[in-house]
Amino acid sequence: MTTTPPATRTSQVALIGNPNTGKSTLFNILAGMNTRTGNYPGVTVEKKIGRVTWEGQQIDLIDLPGTYSLSPRTPDEMVSVDVLMGHAPSIGEIDAVICIADATNLERNLYLVSQILDMGIPAILVLNMWDSLKKRSEEFNLAELQSRLGIPVIPAVARKGTGTKEIKQALAELLKAKPKPKRLNVFPAPFNEAMEKVRQRLTESGVDIFEDYEVERLILDKDGSVEKRCLKKTGPEFAQFLTGIRENLKEQNCTVPRIESECRYQWAKSIMAGLFVVDEDVKPRSASDHIDRVLTHNILGLVVFFALMFLIIQTIITWAEPVMGWCEYGQETAAGWVEAGIGPGPLRSLLVDGVIAGVGGVLIFLPQIVFLFLFISIMEDTGYMARAALMMDRFMRLFGLSGKSFLPLMSSFACAIPGIMAARVVENQRDRIVTMLIAPLMSCTARFPVYWLLTMTFVPSVVLFQIPMPVLAEGGYWDFTLPALVIFLMHLVGAVVAIPVAFLLKKTAFKGEAPPFVMELPDYKWPSIRNVSFRVYDRAKAFVVRAGTLIFAATLVIWAAGYFPGDHTEQHAIETELETLDEEADADRIATLEARNKHLSATLIETSFLGQAGHVIEPVVKPLGWDWKIGVGVVASFPAREVIIATMGTIYSLGGEVDEEDDGLRDALHESKWPDGTKVFNVPVALSIMVFFALCAQCVSTLMVIRRETNSWKWAAFSFSYMTILAYIAAFVVYQVGMLFVA
């Protein structure tokens, strides 16, 4: 008889630290590639867990959000507290904590350490950036710090992998011994007496289930998550009791929550006293200090910042374009293989226009995402990202956002998808969601073909002024024309509208006190190739796995709506015959069949579900000056804005291969007429379409990414709704006002 060995429980170890302490870098090194990501239920906070086996022990490493404290005021802090207190159902009880601190800003980082120690969880303190500390000070008494804290303290340089062996050994020993750290006593006597009263009241209420740390939070965090959980068990009268406790503390000069910061920083100062052989106050200026004199200068810093941002965006466009061309070539090659093996019919259309187009629609965004996160990772690893956020914070606060929102918004001018994903650098949840909601308003490159076609077709080529350029320009002058001005203004429309939208969102749906901008400025350092590569891989994988599946599914739905319920029998027969004809010998027959095929395509799309939708919405879009054909084009471009060009070509019997510079399409638009014989298109109609496309959410991929990043369909639906309404109103005003001048 064989016996099954008892199952060994997987230890749960949380990594926590202030932002910019290298926590995620250390997590990536410790966990390697074996990580899984997702979101904590109900919030946008990302959950990353890596499973490792060290010295025979199976361990789940949990990368908690970067936070300056465990006072649960933000979703990130609430998630951290819930996980550490064992209230996260998907994780369970935490066995140990690895607290990562910036060795060069240790006193400030000890605030969070003190809260960890108060929770009574076995802990290790990792002093990251130890090499920077050694450069700035002659000697630091590490043994004395460990003695004062009563927990293992390990110096490390995460980006170089230094100290990881010692961390693993210390953690294995900690999990075996499971020592319970002695609770700190940083608060004065009146606060301890108040804690005793609260504990006694909880016992009398039959709710004696809270740990000391939670009782502490009950007093310190008004309307905090612990208080809300407590009130569900005790009833609202307990809130009045807590209010009395806080008022009593205020009378004793222990005002809540000020008393916590005072006591914890005082404790941190006492811990740090005498640990440096050379007084930090007289330490020489570092190389980072000298560099910051330029990069954080009020004028020079902004010049460098904007030059760098322009260089990044231009480089992304330049580098991504050929790679995107390879993606398109791969898509065309795969489609060619299918067309060679399967005759015209529903199956071929599904595979070519649905499956392959869907996969291509996902991969086409990957180059931009990879290059954007390459630059973001380099900026983070070198320490410049913190300076960039600092530089832009004052400007972004004018409309309620922080400096960290600038880069995601600027990235959205290339494509909203990587811009929305880049919003992960914004720690505050309200700012992060607002940033994601206004990012699609930035005029991405997909809108350009629409601007170009309509501007060059309907806006008069009037020279507004000339700039003398005797060498560089033909004729000695560089003309600044009206079409150029229109296209330029169209690119600005979304950015200008985003300002009041962000302001309104912050005053209504995301109302709340703006968090103070607190950020450590780490020393500059060379980026680690390993860290940068891992972050880029991690973001690219997250996009393909998490958002790509939704984009693919949406593409299939759109294909079905454009294909059914029409009868494609004659069209497939024509396509079959075309594939058997010789281009030279059967030129006349080919021309006849192609003309018939284009006519059938126009008829089939009009009778498809998409076409029917276009007819249904015609009364709605008519006040914008649009007929049903424009309505179909708008509906059909839901997968991607630029699709409207091919759709219009199909509707006007020109085929789906036309582009924004096709003269036939321009002539067709000029000649398009209403049933009464009046022309459909004029300048107000063209401007109305362009303004609509500048503000609407005609991109299913963007909406799917918002869904994934916010972990909620609510924000994707909200983004689509508010942008569509906004676009409709703006297009209506533009058309109606424009027609006054035309009349």
Side-chain angles (χ1 to χ4, degrees):
M1 176 177 172
T2 58
T3 57
T4 304
T8 303
R9 177 180 173 272
T10 301
S11 299
Q12 306 295 311
V13 177
L15 276 76
I16 194 167
N18 289 184
N20 297 313
T21 55
K23 176 179 63 63
S24 294
T25 301
L26 183 62
F27 172 83
N28 293 336
I29 291 175
L30 293 176
M33 309 293 276
N34 187 26
T35 62
R36 58 184 191 275
T37 60
N39 279 53
Y40 288 96
V43 293
T44 63
V45 181
E46 186 181 57
K47 177 171 68 177
K48 290 182 69 174
I49 298 177
R51 175 157 296 183
V52 297
T53 301
W54 295 337
E55 299 192 8
Q57 297 187 64
Q58 198 170 52
I59 300 169
D60 273 352
L61 294 173
I62 303 147
D63 187 17
L64 292 177
T67 180
Y68 290 101
S69 79
L70 291 179
S71 308
R73 286 187 285 267
T74 68
D76 288 9
E77 292 165 349
M78 288 181 186
V79 162
S80 298
V81 172
D82 283 345
V83 170
L84 293 174
M85 295 304 298
H87 296 316
S90 59
I91 294 176
E93 183 180 352
I94 293 296
D95 298 286
V97 173
I98 299 176
C99 189
I100 297 94
D102 178 356
T104 62
N105 289 294
L106 185 53
E107 186 171 321
R108 186 173 298 176
N109 282 229
L110 285 179
Y111 186 102
L112 179 62
V113 174
S114 72
Q115 292 180 317
I116 296 293
L117 295 177
D118 266 352
M119 299 184 83
I121 305 174
I124 295 171
L125 175 61
V126 175
L127 301 184
N128 194 23
M129 307 178 203
W130 183 252
D131 54 342
S132 298
L133 176 71
K134 298 298 289 183
K135 291 178 184 175
R136 294 170 59 173
S137 182
E138 287 187 357
E139 201 64 49
F140 180 78
N141 196 334
L142 190 66
E144 179 62 21
L145 175 63
Q146 182 165 296
S147 173
R148 292 179 184 182
L149 293 177
I151 60 173
V153 179
I154 301 169
V157 183
R159 63 191 178 87
K160 296 180 179 177
T162 307
T164 53
K165 181 180 177 183
E166 290 79 4
I167 293 171
K168 294 176 183 177
Q169 289 176 344
L171 183 63
E173 293 173 6
L174 198 71
L175 291 173
K176 289 178 182 175
K178 294 186 176 179
K180 193 172 180 66
K182 183 180 178 183
R183 179 176 163 75
L184 300 177
N185 185 19
V186 299
F187 293 103
F191 189 89
N192 292 327
E193 292 169 4
M195 282 187 63
E196 190 58 37
K197 289 179 183 177
V198 172
R199 195 177 291 109
Q200 185 177 350
R201 180 63 178 265
L202 288 170
T203 303
E204 293 172 357
S205 303
V207 196
D208 191 16
I209 59 172
F210 290 93
E211 301 286 341
D212 286 344
Y213 182 75
E214 291 173 297
V215 174
E216 190 177 290
R217 301 317 320 170
L218 269 176
I219 300 174
L220 291 169
D221 303 326
K222 187 175 182 300
D223 299 327
S225 62
V226 180
E227 181 177 337
K228 290 175 181 174
R229 189 153 43 88
C230 177
L231 295 182
K232 289 180 181 177
K233 300 178 182 298
T234 59
E237 66 279 0
F238 197 82
Q240 297 177 355
F241 169 73
L242 286 176
T243 301
I245 289 288
R246 290 166 186 146
E247 290 176 351
N248 188 40
L249 283 171
K250 184 177 180 181
E251 292 172 358
Q252 299 181 71
N253 198 26
C254 293
T255 305
V256 173
R258 175 179 53 82
I259 186 65
E260 182 177 22
S261 57
E262 288 181 354
C263 292
R264 292 198 186 279
Y265 280 125
Q266 189 175 8
W267 170 84
K269 192 170 184 177
S270 68
I271 290 292
M272 292 296 294
L275 293 182
F276 284 95
V277 174
V278 174
D279 192 346
E280 272 200 305
D281 294 337
V282 297
K283 64 181 183 293
R285 294 176 67 88
S286 67
S288 293
D289 295 332
H290 290 291
I291 297 173
D292 275 340
R293 293 180 66 180
V294 176
L295 295 189
T296 61
H297 188 272
N298 288 338
I299 298 175
L300 291 177
L302 284 175
V303 171
V304 173
F305 173 77
F306 282 110
L308 185 61
M309 290 300 105
F310 176 79
L311 181 65
I312 288 175
I313 299 300
Q314 185 59 51
T315 305
I316 290 172
I317 295 173
T318 304
W319 287 3
E321 191 171 347
V323 184
M324 293 169 73
W326 299 341
C327 292
E328 291 174 344
Y329 176 76
Q331 182 180 340
E332 292 170 359
T333 303
W337 291 341
V338 172
E339 289 170 350
I342 302 176
L347 178 60
R348 187 164 99 172
S349 179
L350 170 63
L351 293 176
V352 174
D353 301 325
V355 177
I356 295 176
V359 173
V362 173
L363 296 181
I364 197 72
F365 295 112
L366 202 54
Q368 295 185 55
I369 290 171
V370 167
F371 289 128
L372 175 62
F373 279 98
L374 171 66
F375 288 114
I376 288 179
S377 299
I378 291 174
M379 289 169 66
E380 287 181 335
D381 224 41
T382 55
Y384 183 72
M385 179 64 87
R387 275 82 176 177
L390 174 68
M391 294 295 297
M392 291 310 301
D393 188 67
R394 184 178 299 177
F395 169 71
M396 297 299 288
R397 282 188 179 278
L398 293 176
F399 42 100
L401 297 176
S402 75
K404 285 198 167 184
S405 297
F406 186 80
L407 183 59
L409 294 179
M410 191 163 179
S411 303
S412 298
F413 277 100
C415 178
I417 291 172
I420 291 168
M421 294 182 68
R424 286 171 177 267
V425 301
V426 184
E427 286 98 0
N428 181 271
Q429 190 201 32
R430 289 195 301 267
D431 289 0
R432 187 186 311 151
I433 295 182
V434 171
T435 302
M436 286 190 279
L437 293 179
I438 65 171
L441 286 170
M442 304 302 116
S443 194
C444 65
T445 52
R447 291 171 166 111
F448 182 79
V450 183
Y451 299 158
W452 183 266
L453 170 67
L454 296 173
T455 301
M456 302 309 288
T457 305
F458 296 103
V459 177
S461 183
V462 177
V463 177
L464 299 176
F465 59 87
Q466 294 180 313
I467 299 175
M469 298 185 73
V471 177
L472 299 178
E474 185 178 352
Y477 290 92
W478 183 68
D479 296 338
F480 191 87
T481 64
L482 182 59
L485 177 63
V486 170
I487 292 176
F488 174 73
L489 292 177
M490 285 301 153
H491 280 85
L492 284 185
V493 166
V496 172
V497 171
I499 294 175
V501 170
F503 185 79
L504 285 174
L505 288 173
K506 290 303 298 280
K507 292 294 182 183
T508 54
F510 299 93
K511 191 176 181 180
E513 184 180 352
F517 187 79
V518 179
M519 177 173 285
E520 305 286 357
L521 295 182
D523 285 345
Y524 290 103
K525 51 185 179 293
W526 289 105
S528 161
I529 295 176
R530 180 172 56 179
N531 295 339
V532 170
S533 302
F534 189 90
R535 288 178 192 165
V536 172
Y537 166 78
D538 188 51
R539 290 299 96 200
K541 178 184 172 185
F543 168 73
V544 173
V545 174
R546 299 172 64 188
T549 49
L550 286 175
I551 296 172
F552 177 72
T555 305
L556 289 181
V557 171
I558 296 295
W559 167 83
Y563 188 85
F564 296 107
D567 182 359
H568 294 255
T569 305
E570 183 181 354
Q571 186 182 41
H572 293 324
I574 291 175
E575 290 172 349
T576 302
E577 185 178 350
L578 281 171
E579 292 178 1
T580 63
L581 298 177
D582 183 84
E583 290 187 10
E584 294 184 1
D586 305 312
D588 293 340
R589 178 63 178 164
I590 289 175
T592 303
L593 290 176
E594 285 182 342
R596 177 61 181 166
N597 195 25
K598 290 174 181 177
H599 174 74
L600 285 173
S601 296
T603 304
L604 286 168
I605 196 168
E606 181 181 354
T607 56
S608 69
F609 291 126
L610 274 179
Q612 294 174 35
H615 281 288
V616 169
I617 67 171
E618 186 176 29
V620 179
V621 300
K622 200 168 184 179
L624 310 182
W626 304 359
D627 64 356
W628 71 268
K629 294 179 181 178
I630 302 175
V632 170
V634 171
V635 174
S637 64
F638 190 58
R641 294 178 177 90
E642 63 271 28
V643 172
I644 190 175
I645 305 294
T647 305
M648 298 293 277
T650 302
I651 292 173
Y652 286 103
S653 302
L654 299 169
E657 296 77 22
V658 299
D659 58 26
E660 64 272 20
E661 297 187 0
D662 189 278
D663 290 334
L665 180 58
R666 294 183 182 180
D667 291 340
L669 297 181
H670 269 298
E671 298 304 320
S672 181
K673 295 179 181 178
W674 291 97
D676 64 2
T678 58
K679 289 192 174 183
V680 173
F681 284 90
N682 55 22
V683 173
V685 171
L687 291 175
S688 167
I689 297 173
M690 285 191 283
V691 168
F692 186 88
F693 269 77
L695 301 177
C696 72
Q698 289 297 103
C699 182
V700 67
S701 304
T702 298
L703 298 174
M704 294 301 105
V705 171
I706 291 176
R707 154 70 182 90
R708 277 301 184 187
E709 292 297 300
T710 61
N711 199 29
S712 169
W713 284 107
K714 176 178 70 175
W715 295 119
F718 176 80
S719 181
F720 175 77
S721 301
Y722 100 81
M723 289 183 67
T724 302
I725 294 171
L726 187 66
Y728 184 90
I729 295 173
F732 175 81
V733 171
V734 166
Y735 173 71
Q736 296 296 336
V737 172
M739 287 305 292
L740 296 177
F741 293 95
V742 171

